């Protein structure tokens, strides 16, 4: 009985001697509506990814045949946006489920290699000032260059003994730290933190904190919710506002902070592999971390290409550890408290 070689040897399909490709699926053979409904992105965006990632996905080996970069990218997009290695997804582009998995791994690593190209803070004064102006125009909060928060993404249990990934809801997860601008573009993404760490602990240990503590973004600050400590570079809400100025400050803070909450919902709506609806990511913490980062890179690329990230129906991320369970992070930084008081006096009195 003949057994299909596509099932026996995935590497044979992925890379090839002489670098010949095995083309099963042609973008030109399907409609734009089909691409959007199945893969979540329009034709020109997919062509851009082929150009961007093609060299990384076409590394020659001693094998005889290869899956084209175009097909590998479609396989990965199908997984990111559906959260499933369904047989019909592989059938649609003519590869096995096992080959789908290998394609996802290749595309994920290619995107991760380019993360710093698409996820970063602005480096020039004009762009930084533009961020401040945009945030001020939203709710009157001055000096803000980004909004920070954490989101949990469910993963499979690494092993029975390792409890470091068990979050406060009893689920295994990665606690991912992100900063976004007013458009929802991500400027910092750290996806490697175990779910047992609370948000303030993630931030304290992050490279983001190190950058701000070293003074890389002077005369600017981030906004974070009450799960973080107040810092000279991180403004948090007051736990019990008492004066009109304090109430106005908290209202402006809440309106501004909502940008990242909306960004999280958008990420999980577009990339269903992150929202837990199809179950946890069935990978090691390291590979799961890379998949999350790859989705964040695609999120920013889609913004650069003018895609409306707010237009798709919103879904909720996986159930997050509720904020009300956190003890309020009272300030231990007198200088930070002075800055917040001055901010309220100057702009909200």
């Amino acid at each position: 009985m003949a057994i299909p070689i596509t099932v026996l040897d995935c590497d044979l399909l992925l890379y090839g001697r002489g670098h010949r490709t095995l083309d099963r699926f042609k973008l030109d053979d399907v409609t734009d509506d089909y691409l959007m409904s199945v893969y979540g992105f329009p034709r020109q965006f997919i062509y851009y990814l082929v150009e961007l990632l093609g060299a990384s996905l076409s590394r020659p080996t001693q094998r005889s045949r290869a899956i084209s970069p175009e097909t590998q990218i479609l396989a990965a997009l199908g997984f990111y946006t559906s959260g499933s290695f369904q047989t019909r997804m592989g059938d649609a582009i003519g590869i096995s489920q096992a080959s789908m998995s290998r394609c996802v791994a290749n595309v994920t690593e290619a995107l991760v290699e380019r993360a710093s190209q698409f996820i970063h803070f602005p480096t020039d004064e004009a762009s930084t000032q533009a961020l401040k102006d945009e945030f001020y125009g939203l709710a009157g909060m001055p000096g803000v260059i980004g909004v920070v928060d954490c989101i949990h993404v469910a993963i499979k249990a690494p092993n029975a003994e390792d409890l470091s990934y068990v979050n406060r809801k009893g689920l295994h997860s990665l606690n991912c730290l992100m900063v976004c601008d007013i458009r929802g573009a991500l400027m910092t993404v750290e996806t490697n933190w175990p779910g047992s760490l609370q948000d303030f602990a993630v931030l304290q240990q992050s490279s983001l904190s190190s950058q701000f503590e070293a003074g890389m973004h002077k005369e600017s600050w981030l906004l974070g919710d009450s799960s973080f400590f107040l810092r000279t570079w991180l403004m948090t809400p007051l736990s019990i506002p008492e004066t009109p100025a304090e109430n106005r400050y908290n209202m402006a803070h809440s309106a501004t902070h909502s940008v990242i909450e909306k960004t999280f919902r958008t990420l999980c709506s577009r990339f269903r592999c992150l929202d837990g609806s199809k179950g946890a990511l069935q990978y090691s913490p390291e590979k799961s971390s890379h998949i999350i980062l790859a989705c964040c890179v695609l999120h920013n690329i889609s913004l650069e290409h003018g895609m409306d990230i707010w237009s798709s129906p919103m879904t909720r991320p996986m159930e997050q550890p509720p904020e009300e369970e956190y003890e309020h992070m009272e300030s231990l930084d007198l200088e930070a408290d002075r800055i917040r008081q001055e901010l309220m006096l100057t702009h909200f009195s």
Side-chain angles (χ1 to χ4, degrees), residues 210-218:
S210 299
Q211 290 175 19
F212 275 87
E213 292 290 350
M216 291 182 64
H217 304 282
K218 295 180 179 179

Side-chain angles (χ1 to χ4, degrees), residues 4-7 9-10 12-14 21-27 29 65-68 70-71 74 90-96 99 103:
I5 189 127
T6 57
V7 177
D9 192 345
C10 301
L12 182 65
L13 295 176
L14 285 169
T21 61
L22 183 60
D23 293 313
R24 294 177 170 80
F25 183 93
K26 297 290 187 181
L27 282 176
D29 293 341
R65 305 174 82 191
I67 293 179
S68 68
E70 180 180 289
T71 302
L74 287 171
D91 290 344
I93 54 179
I95 61 176
S96 69
S99 295
C103 290

Side-chain angles (χ1 to χ4, degrees), residues 150 175-177 190 193-194 197-207 209 228:
C150 291
N175 195 6
C176 306
L177 179 74
E190 298 187 27
W193 299 104
L197 286 181
Q198 296 187 44
D199 293 2
F200 74 89
V202 169
L203 182 60
Q204 284 177 338
Q205 300 177 51
S206 68
S207 60
S209 177
F228 298 108

Side-chain angles (χ1 to χ4, degrees), residues 48 98 124 184 202 218 256 341:
Y48 171 78
D124 60 282
V202 169
K218 295 180 179 179
T256 307
Q341 291 295 331

Side-chain angles (χ1 to χ4, degrees), residues 5 40 56 79-80 97 115 152 172 174 180 192 199 227 229-230 242 261 270 284 288 291 319 340 344 349:
I5 189 127
S56 297
F79 168 70
Y80 298 147
Q97 185 171 328
H152 286 259
H172 289 83
L174 291 168
C180 76
N192 58 303
D199 293 2
S227 62
F229 286 107
L230 179 70
E242 297 178 347
E261 297 165 359
R270 170 158 282 163
S284 68
S288 296
I291 287 172
E319 188 174 1
R340 186 169 65 179
M344 290 185 289
S349 294

Side-chain angles (χ1 to χ4, degrees), residues 108-286:
T108 294
E109 292 310 306
L111 288 167
V112 167
E113 288 172 1
R114 293 160 176 79
S116 61
Q117 178 181 345
F118 296 100
I119 300 175
H120 53 79
F121 276 94
T123 55
D124 60 282
E125 290 186 11
S127 298
T128 300
Q129 186 58 49
L131 279 179
K132 295 179 181 180
D133 293 343
E134 289 169 351
F135 275 116
Y136 185 80
L138 176 63
M141 185 70 75
V144 177
I145 61 170
V147 186
V148 61
D149 209 344
C150 291
I151 182 172
H152 286 259
V153 176
I155 63 172
K156 72 173 183 179
N159 57 63
E161 291 76 29
D162 190 353
L163 301 179
S164 64
Y165 291 92
V166 179
N167 63 34
R168 293 163 65 91
K169 301 297 292 186
L171 304 173
H172 289 83
S173 67
L174 291 168
N175 195 6
C176 306
L177 179 74
M178 301 188 192
V179 176
C180 76
D181 66 14
I182 197 169
R183 300 180 303 126
L186 298 165
M187 299 182 291
T188 288
V189 175
E190 298 187 27
T191 59
N192 58 303
W193 299 104
S196 65
L197 286 181
Q198 296 187 44
D199 293 2
F200 74 89
V202 169
L203 182 60
Q204 284 177 338
Q205 300 177 51
S206 68
S207 60
L208 174 69
S209 177
S210 299
Q211 290 175 19
F212 275 87
E213 292 290 350
M216 291 182 64
H217 304 282
K218 295 180 179 179
E219 300 181 0
S220 306
W221 47 69
L222 303 175
L223 290 191
D225 63 21
S226 58
S227 62
F228 298 108
F229 286 107
L230 179 70
R231 291 287 183 260
T232 56
W233 49 268
L234 176 64
M235 294 292 104
T236 61
L238 291 105
S239 56
I240 306 177
E242 297 178 347
T243 69
E246 290 175 347
N247 277 291
R248 283 191 286 269
Y249 166 85
N250 268 16
M251 290 176 63
H253 189 290
S254 177
T256 307
H257 189 268
S258 66
V259 172
I260 197 161
E261 297 165 359
K262 190 176 182 181
T263 299
F264 285 164
R265 291 195 298 270
T266 299
L267 271 172
C268 293
S269 296
R270 170 158 282 163
F271 303 106
R272 302 301 293 274
C273 67
L274 306 181
D275 73 354
S277 63
K278 298 294 179 63
L281 287 171
Q282 298 299 302
Y283 297 91
S284 68
E286 180 181 8

